[in-house]
């Protein structure tokens, strides 16, 4: 996968996971972040926790490869496969041993094997149908032509969110921090343009999922 193909696939998974920030992905567990894997790796990370969990109290972070097979017969992960794998695995997070597992933001990082079940539910299919008819999401071609893509997000606390952005002419991920109470049209319009302004770049301070952070918390 080229770096931009990785970004397009990450953006597709991100778009599907947004639903589960508002509704549980399983039982009382919600998606609290989607993270582009570090080092331009062709993978995506899904952070889960309780309804109000933020970066300080995540239950687990699941890493899922974006493709399977060899280079000649590579098959992309569908976003609903990612949803299904996280849903299946979440029930086992309590058994993860933190002293034997790599951590991200203090939560266990769990690599999900390709044989983890990923069956779609009727509710998943209904959501896809209704969301597409009501407000069509960007298609593959539109994402591929885009200058910038949202490839992840993370709740930093109850007031702030980190948005992970890939620009087609830049090799690395840049994060933009926004205050949710101020996230109206003006701030939304700033995210992609500001992610290109290198004079605004700050050290991500331990966040391996981006190379720089732009502070848009006004």
């Amino acid at each position: 996968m080229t770096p931009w193909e990785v970004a397009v696939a990450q953006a597709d998974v991100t778009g599907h996971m947004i639903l589960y920030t508002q509704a549980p992905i399983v039982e009382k567990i919600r998606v609290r972040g989607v993270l582009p894997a570090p080092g331009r790796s062709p993978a995506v990370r899904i952070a889960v926790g309780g309804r109000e969990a933020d970066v300080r109290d995540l239950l687990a972070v699941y890493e899922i490869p974006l493709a399977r097979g060899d280079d000649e017969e590579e098959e992309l992960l569908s976003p609903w496969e990612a949803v299904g794998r996280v849903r299946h695995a979440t029930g086992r997070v309590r058994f993860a041993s933190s002293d034997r597992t790599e951590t991200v933001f203090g939560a266990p990082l769990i690599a999900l094997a390709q044989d983890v079940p990923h069956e779609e539910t009727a509710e998943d299919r209904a959501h896809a149908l209704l969301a597409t008819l009501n407000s069509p999401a960007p298609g593959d071609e539109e994402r591929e032509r885009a200058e910038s893509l949202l490839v992840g997000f993370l709740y930093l606390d109850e007031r702030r969110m980190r948005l992970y952005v890939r620009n087609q002419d830049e090799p690395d991920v840049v994060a933009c921090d926004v205050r949710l109470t101020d996230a109206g049209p003006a701030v939304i319009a700033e995210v992609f343009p500001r992610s290109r302004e290198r004079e605004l770049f700050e050290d991500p301070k331990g966040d391996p999922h981006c190379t720089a952070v732009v502070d848009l918390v006004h």
Side-chain angles (χ1 to χ4, degrees):
M1 299 177 69
T2 67
W4 192 244
E5 287 173 339
V6 170
V8 170
Q10 289 169 336
D12 204 9
V13 173
T14 297
H16 279 69
M17 289 292 176
I18 289 171
L19 167 66
Y20 301 103
T21 66
Q22 301 297 311
I25 193 165
V26 65
E27 297 179 351
K28 296 182 179 180
I29 305 302
R30 302 194 187 201
V31 171
R32 304 305 290 165
V34 177
L35 306 164
R40 309 177 200 172
S41 175
V44 65
R45 293 176 171 182
I46 313 299
V48 299
R51 185 175 66 86
E52 297 182 352
D54 55 42
V55 70
R56 298 165 295 185
D57 47 10
L58 300 172
L59 291 177
V61 178
Y62 296 108
E63 182 167 297
I64 307 173
L66 289 169
R68 54 181 172 272
D70 55 34
D71 292 338
E72 293 183 359
E73 297 184 3
E74 191 174 67
E75 183 179 357
L76 288 180
L77 173 84
S78 80
W80 287 117
E81 284 183 70
V83 170
R85 289 180 181 177
V86 172
R87 181 182 286 136
H88 178 82
T90 296
R92 299 181 298 171
V93 66
R94 63 180 62 92
F95 300 113
S97 174
S98 60
D99 60 352
R100 292 181 296 166
T101 307
E102 182 182 350
T103 61
V104 174
F105 301 123
L109 175 64
I110 302 170
L112 295 187
Q114 292 187 359
D115 59 357
V116 173
H118 54 266
E119 181 181 356
E120 288 184 48
T121 67
E123 288 81 6
D124 293 336
R125 289 188 288 272
H127 170 72
L129 172 65
L130 296 172
T132 301
L133 291 174
N134 183 60
S135 181
D140 291 342
E141 292 184 2
E142 185 175 344
R143 281 201 170 100
E144 289 169 3
R145 292 195 302 266
E147 294 182 358
S148 304
L149 291 171
L150 178 69
V151 296
F153 62 90
L154 181 68
Y155 283 88
L156 297 177
D157 56 40
E158 66 275 10
R159 294 171 297 176
R160 296 181 303 137
M161 175 173 280
R162 177 160 291 177
L163 304 174
Y164 295 90
V165 175
R166 272 291 307 275
N167 296 305
Q168 186 156 185
D169 55 353
E170 297 290 341
D172 297 311
V173 174
V174 174
C176 295
D177 290 353
V178 301
R179 192 193 310 273
L180 292 173
T181 54
D182 297 336
V187 171
I188 292 171
E190 283 190 303
V191 171
F192 288 160
R194 295 294 187 185
S195 70
R196 297 174 178 273
E197 297 183 15
R198 291 184 173 274
E199 64 272 18
L200 301 178
F201 287 8
E202 298 178 6
D203 190 325
K205 297 180 180 178
D207 185 346
H209 307 98
C210 57
T211 59
V213 173
V214 175
D215 188 357
L216 298 181
V217 178
H218 301 295

